[in-house]
Amino acid sequence: MPDKPPYTLTFKLKSTRADAISAALAQLQAITADYDQTGETAATVTIEAWREQDIVNVRTAFEVWLHRHIIGIACEVTRKDPGVRPE
């Protein structure tokens, strides 16, 4: 038996509204609860900002939330910065 399921479905969601992404993920959770899923579920969220400090604040707040709500989520954070920062 293979280690990974043979079928994969990927949704790439984009919005300027975080609440819209949250609602879409909640709906997807509700839909998938009715079906057998033998593999892992993954989501990628990209947050863009004009100021570096905004990204730092979001990351810090989310890391604190993850620490307080340990709910079986593996998290990897990748940050991209310009070579010459405009600030």
Side-chain angles (χ1 to χ4, degrees), residues 11-33:
F11 295 94
K12 186 173 184 180
L13 307 171
K14 291 183 179 184
S15 177
T16 57
R17 296 178 37 210
D19 63 324
I21 296 293
S22 178
L25 291 174
Q27 182 61 29
L28 191 56
Q29 177 188 18
I31 292 168
T32 58

Side-chain angles (χ1 to χ4, degrees), residues 42-87:
T44 301
V45 177
T46 302
I47 299 170
E48 297 178 334
W50 289 106
R51 296 182 329 136
E52 179 181 15
Q53 192 58 47
D54 294 342
I55 293 292
V56 171
N57 292 344
V58 168
R59 179 180 182 165
T60 301
F62 189 62
E63 287 173 343
V64 168
W65 182 87
L66 278 175
H67 180 71
R68 291 183 181 160
H69 299 87
I70 299 172
I71 54 176
I73 295 177
C75 182
E76 179 181 315
V77 178
T78 303
R79 186 172 146 176
K80 181 179 170 186
D81 297 325
V84 177
R85 297 181 188 187
E87 294 179 43

